[in-house]
């Protein structure tokens, strides 16, 4: 079923890192950049994809690709999510793990253990790509373009989070690139060496060959995201380019999923256990494959579901005893800040009802929140019921049944989906239009609102568009990026949220925190030159 990863050829010789146990002393060690191994081309190709979806070759309970951090915590998506959701108006977490409170309160610094893990996960993934290109670049032009794309994605996220990047295109000692240098490299690499050689943009289901592999639409979407944030990264506006590449995705064969099934909304089906098998898959431009038996992980969709549920939540109206479609995987950690609920209930009058009833009251299918027995405010960070819960990611299938494993989830994580292009296009054209959505931009936003059965609007300001980013993509690991682009994150902003800056009422924090500190363990690579402010 999950074709691209389930047949991974073991590449044990590639793994120079020992197995680890869960520890609070996260002394993360990236791969040796000078390694040189002989591996099966297909095996290493699959590994370059698998490292985004799985912690290591052994799945959820096996070895981890990076040392000094347990496999669940080290997950690519989990660390991307932590870095882009916990410091924002969308999410808060009550666990006592090192670094969680600092993320929630915007007090992170170079000693933050999970940011160190995120850095190491990204650089290790780059090393896998460089290894493939070193031994197999001439093997297959399309496969090479895909690996070059994955490397671009890793470098993009590294640049977004940490600013300056340790850069190498080969298995050699990296040099430090500025944001402008890596931005320019990404544009050149994507336009000249990646997009022309990728396969044509074509949506697929998991039963079709190529599901889970990127094609031209992925390159267009990454370029649109890069250009949309260009003013943040290099101080130059590239709205026209952002709109152009977003429009390519909008005009592609990929489709917004608009038809619900068996009582599940079309939007909810994007985040369910059979999202790779239903027409929801046609929206997924880059799905990360999750299979409860074959491709298990504690750090991808499993984390997004289990980390957001407790045992009192019931996301399936036809299964009063069930929770999220998993057995016992209800960790009670991540939940909303009231500012996210306010995007759907401006007066913060969201009722205390189950998640399958909340969209009806909100008049928006995207309001998949559980309020039963919960306090809407985050009075205490450590109390899971202080804050409405998110029931967006579940392991139920659209026929109401649970996934085929009791412990691990089947829900693919849609790293890129077509809906992003609609909001990128609307925002980029609005910024070219004096801050007001154009007729085409209004139509693009209304397409997403129509899918969610939300009221159509005749106009949108930039602030309205920022709110639409939250409504459509909350808890998908991108909020920090959007807030920074709208000047709503660090610095003297006009927007606060509960516990922003570490106080219940919220307060501004310095703009230097828009970029994370270089982790202390990585500073020697930077000649011990820390990012400004830290």
């Amino acid at each position: 079923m999950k074709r691209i990863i389930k047949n991974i050829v073991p590449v044990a010789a590639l793994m120079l890192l020992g197995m680890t146990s869960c520890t609070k002393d996260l002394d993360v060690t990236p791969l040796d950049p000078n390694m040189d191994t002989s591996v099966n081309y297909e095996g290493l190709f699959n590994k370059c994809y698998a490292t985004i979806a799985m912690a290591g070759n052994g799945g959820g309970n096996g070895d981890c690709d990076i040392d000094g951090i347990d496999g669940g915590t080290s997950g690519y998506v989990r660390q991307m999510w932590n870095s882009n959701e916990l410091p924002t108006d969308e999410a808060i977490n009550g666990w006592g793990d090192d670094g969680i409170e600092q993320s929630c309160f915007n007090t992170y610094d170079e000693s933050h253990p999970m940011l160190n893990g995120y850095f190491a996960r990204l650089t290790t993934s780059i090393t896998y790509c460089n290894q493939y290109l070193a031994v197999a670049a001439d093997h297959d032009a399309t496969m090479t373009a895909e690996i070059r794309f994955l490397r671009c994605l890793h470098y993009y996220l590294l640049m977004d989070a940490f600013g300056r990047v340790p850069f190498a295109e080969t298995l050699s000692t990296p040099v430090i690139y500025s944001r402008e240098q890596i931005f320019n490299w990404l544009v050149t690499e994507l336009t000249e060496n990646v997009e022309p050689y990728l396969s044509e943009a074509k949506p697929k289901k998991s039963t079709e060959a190529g599901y889970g592999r990127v094609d031209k639409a992925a390159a267009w979407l990454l370029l649109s995201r890069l250009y949309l944030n260009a003013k943040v990264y290099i101080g130059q506006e590239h709205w026209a380019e952002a709109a152009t590449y977003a429009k390519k995705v909008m005009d592609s064969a990929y489709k917004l999923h608009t038809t619900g099934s068996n009582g599940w909304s079309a939007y909810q089906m994007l985040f369910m256990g059979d999202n790779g098998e239903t027409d929801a898959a046609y929206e997924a431009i880059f799905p990360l494959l999750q299979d409860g038996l074959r491709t298990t992980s504690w750090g991808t969709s499993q984390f997004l579901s289990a980390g957001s549920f407790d045992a009192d939540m019931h996301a399936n109206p036809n299964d009063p005893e069930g929770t999220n479609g998993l057995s016992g995987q209800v960790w009670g950690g991540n939940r909303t800040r009231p500012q996210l609920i306010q995007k759907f209930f401006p007066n913060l009058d969201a009722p205390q009802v189950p998640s399958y009833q909340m969209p009806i009251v909100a008049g928006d299918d995207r309001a998949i929140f559980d309020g039963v027995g919960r306090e809407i405010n985050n009075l205490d960070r450590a109390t899971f019921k202080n804050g409405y819960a998110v029931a967006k990611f579940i392991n139920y299938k659209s026929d109401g049944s649970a996934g085929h494993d009791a412990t691990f989830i089947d829900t693919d994580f849609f790293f890129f989906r077509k809906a992003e292009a609609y909001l990128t296009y609307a925002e980029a054209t609005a910024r070219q239009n004096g801050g007001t959505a154009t007729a085409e931009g209004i139509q693009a936003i209304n397409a997403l609102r129509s899918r969610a059965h939300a009221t159509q609007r005749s106009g949108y300001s930039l602030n309205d568009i920022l709110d639409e980013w939250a409504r459509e993509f909350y808890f998908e690991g991108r909020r920090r990026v959007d807030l920074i682009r709208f000047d709503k994150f660090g610095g003297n902003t006009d927007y606060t949220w509960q516990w922003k800056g570490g106080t219940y009422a919220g307060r501004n924090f310095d703009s230097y925190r828009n970029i994370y500190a270089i982790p202390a363990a990585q500073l020697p690579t930077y000649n011990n030159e820390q990012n400004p402010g830290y």
Side-chain angles (χ1 to χ4, degrees), residues 80-81 84-85 90 413 473-479 481:
M80 181 185 73
W81 193 97
N84 287 329
E85 294 289 350
E90 288 190 352
F413 177 69
F473 284 99
Y474 69 90
F475 269 50
E476 292 185 51
R478 62 168 297 136
R479 185 58 171 173
V481 182

Side-chain angles (χ1 to χ4, degrees), residues 190-229:
L190 286 165
T191 55
E192 295 183 5
N193 299 321
V194 174
E195 190 271 346
Y197 303 101
L198 290 174
S199 59
E200 295 303 314
K202 180 184 177 182
K204 307 169 189 70
K205 293 183 179 180
S206 65
T207 51
E208 301 174 64
Y211 178 74
R213 292 175 61 174
V214 295
D215 58 27
K216 290 182 185 295
W220 299 334
L221 202 53
L222 183 54
L223 278 163
S224 72
R225 188 183 291 191
L226 189 65
Y227 281 126
L228 188 67
N229 292 285

Side-chain angles (χ1 to χ4, degrees), residues 268-432:
Q268 175 69 87
M269 289 175 68
L270 297 169
F271 313 101
M272 296 181 67
D274 59 352
N275 58 352
E277 290 72 65
T278 67
D279 287 353
Y282 294 150
E283 185 167 332
I285 291 173
F286 182 22
L288 299 183
L289 282 51
Q290 300 291 279
D291 183 294
L293 295 176
R294 300 177 184 272
T295 54
T296 60
S297 170
W298 297 108
T300 309
S301 300
Q302 184 88 359
F303 164 73
L304 297 174
S305 182
S308 300
F309 272 76
D310 68 6
D312 296 331
M313 296 168 59
H314 303 283
N316 187 343
N318 300 312
D319 183 6
E321 300 300 320
T323 52
N324 54 357
L326 295 163
S327 178
Q329 300 303 313
V330 283
W331 307 342
N334 301 311
R335 73 274 190 195
T336 66
R337 304 201 198 208
Q339 283 68 33
L340 175 57
I341 301 300
Q342 205 162 21
K343 303 297 185 287
F344 297 91
F345 295 91
N347 298 319
L348 281 180
D349 54 354
Q352 292 181 312
V353 297
S355 59
Y356 48 82
Q357 294 180 7
M358 194 72 74
I360 300 171
V361 184
D364 193 319
D365 290 344
R366 299 170 295 187
I368 310 174
F369 307 117
D370 187 285
V372 177
R374 308 188 74 85
E375 160 64 50
I376 204 166
N377 292 302
N378 308 132
L379 302 175
D380 178 19
R381 182 187 70 85
T383 301
F384 182 63
K385 284 185 166 56
N386 278 193
Y388 275 30
V390 171
K392 184 172 178 175
F393 295 89
I394 55 178
N395 198 38
Y396 290 111
K397 298 179 182 179
S398 53
D399 64 3
S401 64
H404 59 263
D405 183 78
T407 300
F408 286 106
I409 203 166
D410 288 337
T411 306
D412 295 341
F413 177 69
F414 292 172
F415 202 105
F416 287 150
R417 54 188 181 91
K418 187 171 184 175
E420 178 178 339
Y422 285 71
L423 288 175
T424 296
Y425 181 82
E427 180 187 333
T429 52
R431 289 185 183 275
Q432 295 176 285

Side-chain angles (χ1 to χ4, degrees), residues 81-249:
W81 193 97
N82 285 338
S83 71
N84 287 329
E85 294 289 350
L86 291 182
T88 76
D89 59 340
E90 288 190 352
I92 195 166
N93 182 288
W95 295 335
D97 305 42
D98 286 350
I100 291 290
E101 181 174 284
Q102 289 87 343
S103 291
C104 294
F105 293 171
N106 312 100
T107 57
Y108 36 81
D109 58 22
E110 66 180 33
S111 66
H112 196 289
M114 281 183 269
L115 288 172
N116 190 22
Y118 186 37
F119 188 104
R121 174 62 67 177
L122 291 171
T123 53
T124 296
S125 299
I126 289 167
T127 300
Y128 285 136
C129 294
N130 282 342
Q131 174 68 8
Y132 179 89
L133 296 172
V135 301
D138 297 329
H139 173 65
D140 180 278
T142 302
M143 291 169 66
T144 293
E146 291 178 44
I147 299 306
R148 284 181 178 270
F149 170 85
L150 296 179
R151 185 174 63 176
C152 285
L153 177 63
H154 308 322
Y155 271 127
Y156 167 76
L157 292 173
L158 199 64
M159 174 195 70
D160 175 79
F162 300 101
R164 295 171 296 135
V165 169
F167 179 80
E169 293 184 86
T170 62
L171 293 170
S172 59
T173 301
V175 297
I176 301 303
Y177 266 24
S178 67
R179 263 189 164 179
E180 183 174 8
Q181 287 175 305
I182 197 65
F183 180 96
N184 291 334
W185 178 85
L186 284 166
V187 169
T188 300
E189 179 75 353
L190 286 165
T191 55
E192 295 183 5
N193 299 321
V194 174
E195 190 271 346
Y197 303 101
L198 290 174
S199 59
E200 295 303 314
K202 180 184 177 182
K204 307 169 189 70
K205 293 183 179 180
S206 65
T207 51
E208 301 174 64
Y211 178 74
R213 292 175 61 174
V214 295
D215 58 27
K216 290 182 185 295
W220 299 334
L221 202 53
L222 183 54
L223 278 163
S224 72
R225 188 183 291 191
L226 189 65
Y227 281 126
L228 188 67
N229 292 285
K231 188 176 181 181
V232 173
Y233 299 147
I234 62 172
Q236 299 174 16
E237 297 176 351
H238 282 277
W239 310 124
E241 293 90 339
T244 295
Y245 280 105
K247 192 65 163 59
K248 283 178 174 287
V249 177

